Amino acid sequence: MVKKYWFLFLVLVFAGCAQIEGFFQEEETSKILLLYTNDEHGHIYENDGWYKGVALYEMWEEEEKNCTNCTVVKLSGGDNYTGTAVSTFFKGASMAEVMGLLGYRVSALGNHEFDFGERELKNNAKTANIQYISSNLVSKDMKNLFEPATVIYAGNEKILFASAITEDVKRISMSKPFVESMIAKPGNTVLRAILKENTDLNIIVVHESHNEARKWVPALAKKPLVVFTAHDHKEALVEENGVLFIQNAGYLPSYAKVIIEKKGKNSKVVDAEIVPLKKEISLASTGAQEVKKTIDKYLTQLEKKAGKKIISAGKPLETEALQKLFTCSMLRAFPGYDAAFSNPGGFRDSIKAGDIKKSDILSVFPFDNFIVKAAVQGEDLIYDIEKSGNAYCGATKKDEKWFIGNKEIDKSKTYKIITTDFVYQGGDGYRFTNSQGVTTNVSWRTPLENYLIESSKKGLNLEKACENLLKD
């Protein structure tokens, strides 16, 4: 009987020792490396020979190598595909393939993700092996069209990535899924996504600018540690009330790196920076070689299908001159109309010196817009022209008054104008009160391409062609 109690005493002693030993052990520490880009717009390659997709792969490869025992998650803030010719011409397939090789896991839904249609977005997401999330894009009956958030494990740590899209999308996108859906307040929907999951760490990836996100993030009952923002193409790196906001400029000039250290129940950011992309590539790894091979494959196809020379340029064409050239070519293509205008945001690239190809025009005007003929009131015409920056033709301003020909624009009179379907449908907030318009089957790129081809056949270069058109 004594032996039995003695054995029990020893068991209790050893158990107690084990608990004491565990008590004095250090809490487990884990590290998470977050690599982030936003508003890439297909810029995996630039016309000056900059293989951005390869440079990003090599730099991320080095980041992973240097972060010992880190769980790595690669993220995007959305607007992945529409932009450069090498992406736009293939409806984003080239960008998706490169994103897959780079190892992206999650992306916010951007306002340009549906530019090529719902089917192409699904195909691209599958090719890239990426999950799009958005908590506040909902149907009329308030059902989510995408998962509001996703969970990724870092060892035993459960990390929630929640997302939302800018409420401004109703004004800037004419894509059917956005037009037929509702954009709920992001603060409410993101909080619901966070509260739904019992997670160790919360991260927000939102397709909305830092200036907009900072208005609602501080009010969240359960705050995230990091908020990755996007959309306005402006760089941001700022900590506010214990929350880190970080964002790259648009078109992939850099990436954001955030390292989080988690010790027990406490998490903190130990490193955060925006890293400029290198121009040099080494191709030292098979992965980098595969990315370059993929980009080259699409560049070769692009050259075969859209590499035809249109005209030559002796020097780069400034953005304002390009906007004027574009709208005046539209007005020239439709004689009898009073004015033409477009939105400055539709111009996505510049014209460089050298041979100008169809693919260069596609890079400048990547969206599949069509020309609209319409009749508008003079008051709306003045408002719309003043919104257009230098992207208008047919009207002139003198002493704060607008004229067509030698006559001042009458606010109550109706004028015949040429614009694009995006603008006419209200994109970017243009006004067409009681207007009557007809959408043609003419691509918005066609008048400019035709004029440049015609000028080239006459032996003119881009500068002379521009001078002649604006003189007329």
Side-chain angles (χ1 to χ4, degrees):
M1 181 67 69
V2 174
K3 290 182 178 179
K4 181 177 180 181
Y5 285 122
W6 178 250
F7 175 75
L8 180 60
F9 172 75
L10 289 175
V11 170
L12 292 173
V13 168
F14 282 115
C17 289
Q19 289 180 355
I20 292 171
E21 182 182 0
F23 179 79
F24 286 107
Q25 281 181 346
E26 288 189 9
E27 293 178 307
E28 185 178 349
T29 301
S30 59
K31 287 170 70 177
I32 302 152
L33 171 61
L34 303 175
L35 298 171
Y36 173 77
T37 61
N38 56 273
D39 301 284
E40 301 89 359
H41 287 286
H43 280 257
I44 50 176
Y45 176 83
E46 302 292 356
N47 289 338
D48 61 0
W50 189 1
Y51 281 86
K52 285 184 172 179
V54 180
L56 186 62
Y57 183 94
E58 292 183 340
M59 294 180 76
W60 278 5
E61 194 174 38
E62 191 68 18
E63 295 281 11
E64 292 184 67
K65 179 182 176 181
N66 293 336
C67 197
T68 308
N69 297 324
C70 286
T71 297
V72 182
V73 183
K74 298 170 182 177
L75 309 161
S76 171
D79 277 4
N80 307 138
Y81 308 111
T82 308
T84 61
V86 73
S87 180
T88 299
F89 188 84
F90 301 102
K91 300 186 184 299
S94 55
M95 183 68 188
E97 195 168 336
V98 169
M99 290 181 76
L101 293 171
L102 281 160
Y104 283 87
R105 298 279 296 278
V106 180
S107 178
L109 183 74
N111 54 285
H112 285 295
E113 251 61 77
F114 288 108
D115 282 355
F116 307 122
E118 294 180 62
R119 185 175 66 178
E120 292 302 333
L121 175 57
K122 289 180 180 178
N123 290 341
N124 289 334
K126 184 177 180 181
T127 299
N129 194 27
I130 197 168
Q131 182 180 4
Y132 286 94
I133 54 176
S134 180
S135 67
N136 64 331
L137 179 63
V138 296
S139 61
K140 299 296 184 182
D141 56 356
M142 297 303 291
K143 292 182 179 178
N144 286 99
L145 299 189
F146 287 79
E147 289 295 326
T150 190
V151 170
I152 293 177
Y153 285 89
N156 295 323
E157 307 297 337
K158 188 178 181 183
I159 310 173
L160 178 78
F161 294 90
S163 185
I165 193 170
T166 174
E167 295 178 79
D168 199 33
V169 72
K170 283 291 188 180
R171 184 182 67 83
I172 60 176
S173 179
M174 298 297 114
S175 295
K176 184 178 177 182
F178 293 131
V179 172
E180 296 183 352
S181 303
M182 296 173 60
I183 309 297
K185 295 287 184 183
N188 298 334
T189 59
V190 167
L191 180 59
R192 280 200 296 270
I194 291 175
L195 294 177
K196 186 179 179 181
E197 298 282 348
N198 182 24
T199 53
D200 300 293
L201 181 62
N202 298 309
I203 306 292
I204 293 177
V205 188
V206 60
H207 193 78
E208 183 175 58
S209 72
H210 157 249
N211 285 331
E212 290 300 316
R214 67 194 295 267
K215 296 176 183 177
W216 54 267
V217 168
L220 293 175
K222 195 171 183 181
K223 290 184 177 59
L225 186 62
V226 183
V227 178
F228 292 99
T229 56
H231 183 55
D232 68 349
H233 296 193
K234 296 178 181 178
E235 191 175 287
L237 177 55
V238 60
E239 184 177 342
E240 298 179 6
N241 301 316
V243 177
L244 174 69
F245 292 85
I246 190 164
Q247 175 180 324
N248 301 288
Y251 308 139
L252 208 56
S254 58
Y255 65 89
K257 174 180 73 172
V258 176
I259 298 178
I260 298 171
E261 187 175 87
K262 194 170 188 308
K263 190 173 184 180
K265 293 184 178 180
N266 298 315
S267 299
K268 65 177 180 179
V269 174
V270 295
D271 188 17
E273 59 182 307
I274 294 173
V275 185
L277 222 57
K278 295 178 180 178
K279 285 211 167 187
E280 307 80 20
I281 58 175
S282 66
L283 298 175
S285 69
T286 55
Q289 293 167 17
E290 184 63 25
V291 174
K292 184 177 184 298
K293 180 181 177 182
T294 300
I295 295 172
D296 286 341
K297 173 184 69 176
Y298 284 102
L299 287 173
T300 299
Q301 293 179 37
L302 180 66
E303 182 64 25
K304 288 180 179 178
K305 297 177 180 180
K308 182 180 178 181
K309 175 186 170 182
I310 294 177
I311 199 169
S312 293
K315 60 182 180 180
L317 189 64
E318 298 295 331
T319 300
E320 289 189 354
L322 174 60
Q323 291 176 345
K324 188 67 71 176
L325 176 64
F326 169 73
T327 47
C328 286
S329 70
M330 285 204 303
L331 192 58
R332 178 181 180 273
F334 292 87
Y337 282 76
D338 298 308
F341 55 85
S342 187
N343 60 316
F347 296 74
R348 290 303 175 115
D349 205 349
S350 58
I351 294 293
K352 300 175 178 62
D355 289 345
I356 309 303
K357 305 174 183 178
K358 289 180 70 70
S359 56
D360 296 313
I361 303 299
L362 184 62
S363 284
V364 176
F365 308 105
F367 309 112
D368 287 331
N369 293 332
F370 291 89
I371 288 175
V372 170
K373 301 184 292 185
V376 301
Q377 288 185 335
E379 185 174 8
D380 285 348
L381 176 58
I382 293 172
Y383 176 86
D384 292 339
I385 287 176
E386 290 184 340
K387 279 186 67 67
S388 299
N390 211 47
Y392 68 89
C393 189
T396 55
K397 192 175 186 180
K398 301 175 184 177
D399 300 324
E400 300 304 313
K401 296 179 181 180
W402 284 98
F403 294 80
I404 290 181
N406 295 320
K407 294 184 178 181
E408 183 181 350
I409 295 178
D410 186 337
K411 293 183 178 181
S412 62
K413 185 181 175 182
T414 299
Y415 294 86
K416 295 169 65 179
I417 63 95
I418 300 295
T419 190
T420 68
D421 52 352
F422 172 81
V423 169
Y424 187 73
Q425 290 166 11
D428 281 354
Y430 283 78
R431 258 182 4 204
F432 295 90
T433 309
N434 300 322
S435 174
Q436 296 179 345
V438 176
T439 302
T440 71
N441 61 356
V442 179
S443 166
W444 67 326
R445 293 183 287 265
T446 299
L448 178 59
E449 288 181 358
N450 287 348
Y451 175 70
L452 294 181
I453 291 171
E454 179 184 320
S455 298
S456 182
K457 288 180 179 178
K458 294 178 180 178
L460 305 179
N461 63 9
L462 181 63
E463 293 79 13
K464 191 62 178 178
C466 186
E467 179 186 326
N468 286 355
L469 183 59
L470 300 188
K471 181 174 61 179
D472 295 338

